[in-house]
Amino acid sequence: AAWLGVQYWLGDRDTRLDFSFFSFDISWFYYPLMLVVILYLTNAVNLTDGIDGLCGTVTMVNMLLMTVICVLLSLQQMSIFTMALAGGCLGFLVWNLHPAKCFMGDTGSMYLGASVVAVGLVTHKHLVLLLVALLYILEALSVVIQVTYFKYTKKKYGEGRRIFKMTPIHHHFELSGFSEYKIVITFSLFALVMGMVMPVMSTSWKESLPNRDVPTLQVMQTIGEESIYAVAMPVTRLVQPGPDVAKHTPTRPVERA
């Protein structure tokens, strides 16, 4: 809700659903609908973080794909943010691939989910967001299907029955004999293939770009700049040495000619 409020406050009041080949305006209903999208996708990415390296790898692929989208839409600042996020995921995977030495946790996975949906909403390319986030959507949908079917069969037959061996669906493949590496590679390739559909739509994007009003583009750039600042500042503080470290850091003597 806060993200939608920031976009509205900065002047981005476009309420059209853009599916690349066609778009239509849904007026005020856009905001509650996008609120549901934010909540669903944020939690869906959280559910994807179930085995070593899965969420980080898939999100890295998705952020690289979103970088292409931002470049096509001339959103330079936002493309820097998506590249930075992809690079952060790559660095984290050094420690998170199987066997993981550290874990992302809910804080990290929900931040990645919020970032994915935020970039998607800023670009206003809803079909692209659907394709890029399709793996996350299926992960959460498997949980919904499993729980609903279990409750229905328990009420009807007296015992709960399952469609999948375990949900989210990556655990179903794990119990079916897939190794963690195989699941991560397969799911990442699925996300990549879904994203590869996007260049086919590039012609329609370029034709629709002049129709977007200038204030909306300026708002997109502003949101991109603020996003970069929000990500870069904490990282800068982390990498800057403290006074004690700087004091004990050995300096290389200057060689005289």
Side-chain angles (χ1 to χ4, degrees), residues 151-169:
K151 290 183 177 180
Y152 169 75
T153 53
K154 186 174 183 179
K155 184 177 180 180
K156 185 175 182 179
Y157 303 109
E159 61 175 2
R161 301 177 183 178
R162 295 174 174 84
I163 297 177
F164 306 104
K165 295 180 179 179
M166 188 176 179
T167 56
I169 198 169

Side-chain angles (χ1 to χ4, degrees), residues 46-71:
N46 184 30
L47 290 172
T48 307
D49 184 32
I51 61 176
D52 297 345
L54 180 59
C55 184
T57 306
V58 172
T59 305
M60 180 186 70
V61 171
N62 287 341
M63 285 296 101
L64 291 175
L65 292 171
M66 291 306 295
T67 301
V68 177
I69 303 304
C70 292
V71 170

Side-chain angles (χ1 to χ4, degrees), residues 4-25:
L4 291 173
V6 169
Q7 284 188 269
Y8 186 87
W9 178 67
L10 289 174
D12 186 359
R13 298 171 185 178
D14 189 356
T15 56
R16 290 174 296 170
L17 287 180
D18 192 339
F19 292 97
S20 294
F21 299 107
F22 65 94
S23 63
F24 54 93
D25 194 343

Side-chain angles (χ1 to χ4, degrees), residues 166-185:
M166 188 176 179
T167 56
I169 198 169
H170 57 259
H171 290 308
H172 172 82
F173 289 102
E174 191 176 13
L175 293 176
S176 298
F178 280 57
S179 66
E180 293 194 18
Y181 279 120
K182 189 173 183 179
I183 294 173
V184 170
I185 293 172

Side-chain angles (χ1 to χ4, degrees), residues 26 29 61 64 120 133 210 245 252:
I26 57 175
F29 188 68
V61 171
L64 291 175
V245 176
R252 186 176 181 179

